[in-house]
Amino acid sequence: MNIQDSFHPEQEIAKEAPCLQRSLLEGRSITNILLTGIAWLAAIIASVPLISVLYGLIVKGGHRLSLEVFTELPPAGFEEGGGFGNAIVGTLVTVGFGAVISIPIGFLAAIFLAELEPDGKVAYVARFCAKTLTGLPSILAGVFAYAVVVLATGTYSAPAAGVALALLMLPTVVLTAEGAMRMVPSKMKAAAYGIGCTRSQVIWKIVLPTALPGVLTGVMLAIARAAGETAPLLFTALFSNYWFVENGTAHVMEPIASLSVLIYNFAGMPYENQIELAWTASLVLVMMVLLFNILARVLGRKKV
Amino acid sequence: MNMNFSAASNVNASKNAHSNVVIDCNLDKVFYGDFLAVRDSHVPIQKGQITGFIGPSGCGKSTVLRCLNRMNDLIEGFRFEGNVHFNNQDVYHKTVDPVVVRRYIGMVFQQPNPFAMSIFDNVAFGLRLNRFKGDIAECVENALKKAALWGEVKDKLKASGLSLSGGQQQRLCIARAIATEPAVVLMDEPCSALDPISTRRIEELMIELKEKYTIALVTHNMQQAKRVADKTAFLSVEISEGGRTGYLVELGETSQIFDDPKEELTQQYIRGEFS
Ligand SMILES: Nc1ncnc2c1ncn2[C@@H]1O[C@H](COP(=O)(O)OP(=O)(O)OP(=O)(O)O)[C@@H](O)[C@H]1O
Ligand SMILES: [Mg+2]
């Protein structure tokens, strides 16, 4: 564009100035619109299952939701009413045992993987094992705990269920905690060393507090997963029609109830009352899982 | 806290007993793995003075600085030949704890790196680490004032250190480093992220600090070296078959380095003819 040579420079510029208007017919924008549409559609399809499950559960189980189901014991055969209070407690207790076992181990393992020996052979093997364990069929975790704990102690129990659930929670805790610790910028660690921290002070005072939201997210996701497990509990916790704590004593080394096993049992029964309760228990369980997931998100978002 | 350097008495006393050398830095060779990063750089750092390090990018200024408080120990493959003495004690002697060295030789890094905690806690961090018994709030306020940051943050000490702007973060890091009153402060281009006004304030701070502390300052800004440094060390790179190796070209009084450089390379660099 050689303006000096032209007699009408303004016209020339006007002619050659690029058109900045958006043109919907251009190939580029058609592809753009198409891909955006597909992404929207996929996102909607992905949320259909959860929403329809929730809808179904509320329709079928919502009307039985009352204080009674939280405080009563499961009804026998032809009994009317009843609830699953002991199963809610049982789910919390078994998941609690799982958390107590898996969180400390997972946490320390993550420190090792992220900070102490990130490139060592041990770390490589441990990381590989953790990733493989993520895909472990939950029934195998149950069989494992049955062989190791139930046979050894001679009874189904909450700790046995805890071991099975811990096995399923461990990889999630380890891998998310490691990821969160690795996200801590190395310049922040350099600053800590520079001010005179020992390695353990760097880990405890800088890396862990900075990574805490991410670590808690992993813990909550693991808990959410464990709360919904059924198969491992069939081999380890079995079921009970009584409360975990009765007359002031906790029945630790005895079979224990859980929501998922209750659903499994009641759904197959030929009684209207039990089937209704199974629906309501499902609703409660899904709500609990949802709660842990929301908690995971809230904790993960919290930044210092 | 009691510092047990006495065991490490591979003393270089005869040489430096009379002069006021706090850190006697004799780097013969510094390696990262097989890569020779710096060679033959001997820089005595005088007490109560500001020693400036200038030179082209990649010549090893940060490397030299990090050798002084053993920050390089954290880098895989770091090796070095030579010795560094702090108050006549060999910093690299095997009985010396690098953690203790770093409490006496503080550091401000090239990039601002506040901790993910409140502004107050950032500055108080080193004090708490040393189990400081006095009034922490007062020390934090003083450090922030010296770092020319107090006015901007005094109403939001609980806000996260990461919420500050880059330049404010750097001043926070300076406050954090001086809060513990280290004997020597190593500053690696502390002003590279700062505006001219804060830069001036930091320079004034350095001049004020040198009454009590000793400062080693890396800077890309030659005017800054001219303004604040008492001694200036000029490092350059030599491209050899093994890679790029930095070395000390000239060391002297700042006025001499800038007005009457002895070496050809220094002259070229000062005149801006150096790439
Ligand atoms: N951690 C490291 N591992 C390997 N090589 C490194 C490392 N840090 C620095 N080096 C190398 O050492 C040489 C000197 O680096 P250094 O950071 O000391 O330079 P500098 O003078 O501070 O440069 P600048 O002015 O750009 O900050 C460079 O060639 C660099 O590539
Ligand atoms: Mg540098």
Side-chain angles (χ1 to χ4, degrees):
Chain A
M1 187 168 60
N2 195 338
I3 293 171
Q4 279 111 319
D5 288 351
S6 166
F7 287 111
H8 305 286
E10 302 88 359
Q11 277 178 10
E12 193 114 346
I13 289 170
K15 235 185 278 166
E16 296 207 357
C19 173
L20 300 177
Q21 305 299 310
R22 181 183 288 123
S23 148
L24 291 176
L25 294 176
E26 219 181 311
R28 203 158 48 95
S29 39
I30 294 178
T31 325
N32 183 24
I33 291 167
L34 210 67
L35 287 179
T36 313
I38 292 175
W40 268 93
L41 199 68
I44 290 168
I45 291 175
S47 48
V48 163
L50 177 63
I51 290 174
S52 59
V53 162
L54 260 182
Y55 177 77
L57 289 179
I58 290 170
V59 168
K60 299 214 170 173
H63 65 281
R64 281 295 295 269
L65 216 52
S66 65
L67 193 64
E68 190 189 7
V69 297
F70 292 100
T71 54
E72 298 282 305
L73 288 173
F78 292 102
E79 244 182 296
E80 283 301 308
F84 41 76
N86 64 336
I88 296 178
V89 173
T91 290
L92 293 176
V93 170
T94 48
V95 170
F97 271 107
V100 165
I101 299 169
S102 64
I103 292 172
I105 298 178
F107 199 58
L108 293 175
I111 292 177
F112 181 85
L113 293 182
E115 289 298 320
L116 298 186
E117 288 279 334
D119 305 315
K121 277 215 173 60
V122 179
Y124 180 81
V125 172
R127 212 174 279 127
F128 181 78
C129 291
K131 280 179 186 157
T132 312
L133 210 56
T134 326
L136 181 80
S138 57
I139 196 158
L140 287 186
V143 173
F144 171 80
Y146 178 80
V148 172
V149 187
V150 176
L151 289 186
T153 57
T155 172
Y156 297 98
S157 65
V163 169
L165 294 179
L167 210 60
L168 297 168
M169 295 168 77
L170 194 61
T172 315
V173 175
V174 172
L175 295 174
T176 45
E178 186 203 353
M181 289 178 202
R182 277 174 177 263
M183 294 282 281
V184 176
S186 58
K187 61 177 188 176
M188 218 181 260
K189 287 183 243 167
Y193 282 114
I195 207 165
C197 284
T198 60
R199 187 149 90 157
S200 51
Q201 283 171 327
V202 172
I203 293 173
W204 287 105
K205 291 178 194 269
I206 299 300
V207 175
L208 290 187
T210 312
L212 197 62
V215 174
L216 288 180
T217 305
V219 167
M220 285 301 151
L221 288 176
I223 287 179
R225 181 189 168 183
E229 286 294 348
T230 318
L233 300 183
L234 291 173
F235 287 90
T236 52
L238 212 62
F239 193 73
S240 154
N241 282 315
Y242 306 101
W243 292 97
F244 178 63
V245 180
E246 239 164 22
N247 303 329
T249 46
H251 302 276
V252 178
M253 295 315 286
E254 273 170 40
I256 182 167
S258 60
L259 278 173
S260 49
V261 175
L262 177 121
I263 296 165
Y264 177 80
N265 289 342
F266 278 16
M269 284 189 179
Y271 311 111
E272 193 64 27
N273 184 30
Q274 267 78 352
I275 291 176
E276 272 180 21
L277 278 179
W279 282 110
T280 311
S282 307
L283 180 63
V284 171
L285 183 55
V286 168
M287 287 305 193
M288 278 169 67
V289 171
L290 206 64
L291 191 76
F292 282 122
N293 272 302
I294 292 172
L295 223 57
R297 308 214 67 193
V298 172
L299 291 172
R301 209 182 305 127
K302 211 178 126 221
K303 286 269 140 65
V304 186
Chain B
M1 188 170 50
N2 103 46
M3 180 152 120
N4 200 350
F5 259 138
S6 51
S9 51
N10 180 4
V11 178
N12 207 347
S14 54
K15 202 168 123 200
N16 296 314
H18 324 292
S19 61
N20 255 332
V21 176
V22 197
I23 299 185
D24 192 18
C25 156
N26 296 302
L27 306 175
D28 293 330
K29 287 192 170 76
V30 182
F31 292 96
Y32 291 118
D34 292 333
F35 172 65
L36 176 61
V38 173
R39 66 168 175 83
D40 303 314
S41 300
H42 298 212
V43 186
I45 292 171
Q46 304 276 338
K47 191 177 175 61
Q49 288 197 346
I50 299 177
T51 306
F53 290 82
I54 58 172
S57 184
C59 68
K61 305 180 293 296
S62 302
T63 300
V64 170
L65 220 55
R66 284 201 308 261
C67 284
L68 304 184
N69 66 343
R70 296 193 61 171
M71 277 304 283
N72 275 336
D73 288 24
L74 306 171
I75 293 173
E76 190 100 8
F78 163 76
R79 269 183 309 130
F80 109 110
E81 289 167 21
N83 56 66
V84 175
H85 284 84
F86 174 55
N87 289 332
N88 290 332
Q89 293 153 74
D90 185 352
V91 167
Y92 282 86
H93 194 273
K94 60 181 181 300
T95 56
V96 167
D97 182 356
V99 169
V100 180
V101 173
R102 295 186 203 122
R103 292 192 184 178
Y104 285 84
I105 307 180
M107 186 157 204
V108 177
F109 293 78
Q110 199 161 352
Q111 276 131 20
N113 51 5
F115 299 133
M117 50 179 82
S118 74
I119 293 171
F120 185 92
D121 290 342
N122 259 286
V123 183
F125 187 87
L127 296 169
R128 291 181 180 145
L129 198 65
N130 293 329
R131 306 231 165 71
F132 178 72
K133 287 289 181 311
D135 185 350
I136 289 196
E138 192 186 314
C139 288
V140 168
E141 181 176 337
N142 281 336
L144 284 168
K145 276 183 179 155
K146 281 187 190 155
L149 189 60
W150 177 250
E152 283 151 80
V153 301
K154 64 173 187 286
D155 300 321
K156 50 171 187 176
L157 291 173
K158 287 214 172 70
S160 166
L162 296 172
S163 68
L164 298 174
S165 78
Q168 290 173 326
Q169 288 188 5
Q170 186 65 306
R171 278 177 283 154
L172 179 62
C173 294
I174 292 173
R176 183 178 63 191
I178 59 178
T180 53
E181 310 207 327
V184 182
V185 187
L186 309 175
M187 295 186 159
D188 194 346
E189 290 180 51
C191 302
S192 58
L194 301 188
D195 65 303
I197 297 173
S198 331
T199 301
R200 276 303 166 116
R201 292 220 202 111
I202 297 301
E203 288 175 5
E204 283 162 16
L205 163 71
M206 287 190 249
I207 290 169
E208 190 186 315
L209 282 180
K210 75 174 183 180
E211 314 254 302
K212 265 169 90 183
Y213 316 109
T214 306
I215 295 174
L217 169 74
V218 167
T219 175
H220 267 144
N221 180 339
M222 283 194 271
Q223 297 311 312
Q224 180 169 64
K226 230 175 179 170
R227 284 194 295 265
V228 301
D230 298 295
K231 294 255 170 41
T232 298
F234 171 62
L235 280 77
S236 183
V237 273
E238 174 187 65
I239 317 246
S240 58
E241 67 303 347
R244 304 154 48 85
T245 301
Y247 65 104
L248 179 69
V249 176
E250 195 171 351
L251 167 71
E253 295 290 330
T254 299
S255 54
Q256 179 254 309
I257 293 285
F258 281 93
D259 301 335
D260 179 27
K262 299 268 184 301
E263 300 287 329
E264 181 76 29
L265 275 173
T266 319
Q267 281 175 26
Q268 286 175 359
Y269 188 75
I270 304 286
R271 274 192 265 121
E273 288 170 11
F274 203 96
S275 58

